[in-house]
Amino acid sequence: MKKITLFLLVVVGMMMMSCNHDETYADKKNKERDAINEFISERGIKVIDEATFLANDSTTNVAENEYVLFSGTGVYMQIVEKGIGKKIAKGESRTVLCRFTEFNIMNDTIQLTNNTMYWSSIVDKMTVTNTSGTFTGIFDTNSSVMVRAYNTTAIPSGWMVPFTYIRVGRPVTEDDKIAHVRLIVPHSQGQADASQNVYPCYYDLTFQEGR
């Protein structure tokens, strides 16, 4: 009887230890939030709210390392260049070419980029649509490093945030600057792997009109 009781105690103890080591979704979100806050602190990022951003003509002061926080999505954005050309108008779809670097904030490492010699021949090609002010898009299956990495044509929702404020055109002269933004994207607005495994990414992105 004593042996049975001891065995049961051991089993219960192991189950309790297992439960203690299992992370809940809430635990993972807390870790993500802490990682984002630490990243912001370490990078010396100055966070402004949407009202301040809009009052400043939808700009961020790059010299002061300003990022605007969109409280509804948790996405942080810095506009480095608004770009040449025109904004994507309501009811319009445009082909957009993107160069990007994806930095995994949780792992403190560059995770994916098409800004390398290896991928120099591939610029991620997207179709972006403005439906009554809401932007959606898909990657081109045949021209996308993101599709090859994550096996989906879905564009991270966080990548759509800048299109309300930037212009998308093609450079004609050496002085023409294409749209350039930096984003902190939580898992809920991120790519498939980030969404599944609950981690945030930092993106450096440029956009220009494609054909």
Side-chain angles (χ1 to χ4, degrees):
M1 186 70 178
K2 289 182 179 180
K3 289 183 178 180
I4 295 175
T5 302
L6 180 60
F7 174 75
L8 290 174
L9 287 173
V10 171
V11 170
V12 171
M14 291 177 66
M15 291 177 62
M16 291 178 66
M17 288 176 64
S18 175
C19 290
N20 289 336
H21 285 91
D22 285 343
E23 276 191 316
T24 66
Y25 178 58
D27 292 333
K28 292 179 179 179
K29 288 203 300 181
N30 287 336
K31 281 189 174 181
E32 177 184 49
R33 184 167 56 250
D34 290 343
I36 290 174
N37 289 337
E38 184 177 353
F39 181 83
I40 288 171
S41 177
E42 289 180 349
R43 295 284 179 116
I45 292 171
K46 177 183 178 182
V47 179
I48 61 174
D49 59 24
E50 292 176 68
T52 302
F53 173 68
L54 294 173
N56 291 335
D57 194 28
S58 302
T59 61
T60 51
N61 189 324
V62 178
E64 294 186 5
N65 204 19
E66 280 186 351
Y67 282 65
V68 54
L69 168 60
F70 296 95
S71 57
T73 61
V75 173
Y76 297 76
M77 177 180 71
Q78 180 182 74
I79 299 178
V80 182
E81 295 286 347
K82 285 196 173 183
I84 58 170
K86 298 179 180 179
K87 293 181 179 180
I88 299 175
K90 291 180 179 179
E92 184 182 15
S93 292
R94 300 260 288 279
T95 299
V96 179
L97 305 179
C98 174
R99 287 285 182 189
F100 75 92
T101 296
E102 178 183 78
F103 183 88
N104 185 321
I105 292 176
M106 203 78 82
N107 290 341
D108 192 31
T109 186
I110 291 176
Q111 182 163 278
L112 189 65
T113 180
N114 63 5
N115 282 308
T116 63
M117 288 295 294
Y118 184 81
W119 295 115
S120 61
S121 62
I122 299 180
V123 180
D124 277 47
K125 187 175 183 180
M126 313 182 293
T127 300
V128 179
T129 301
N130 182 346
T131 305
S132 301
T134 299
F135 290 89
T136 56
I138 57 171
F139 287 115
D140 185 313
T141 305
N142 299 316
S143 183
S144 173
V145 175
M146 289 288 284
V147 171
R148 296 186 186 198
Y150 300 118
N151 198 33
T152 175
T153 59
I155 299 174
S157 299
W159 284 30
M160 295 292 98
V161 171
F163 286 99
T164 300
Y165 312 101
I166 63 172
R167 297 180 287 268
V168 181
R170 294 182 64 84
V172 177
T173 71
E174 291 184 358
D175 295 328
D176 289 340
K177 296 180 178 179
I178 61 176
H180 181 189
V181 301
R182 296 177 182 131
L183 303 172
I184 299 172
V185 178
H187 77 283
S188 57
Q189 300 292 311
Q191 35 83 349
D193 188 64
S195 179
Q196 181 178 352
N197 293 296
V198 191
Y199 63 83
C201 288
Y202 170 76
Y203 291 98
D204 193 299
L205 303 149
T206 59
F207 300 111
Q208 71 176 71
E209 187 174 16
R211 292 174 180 171

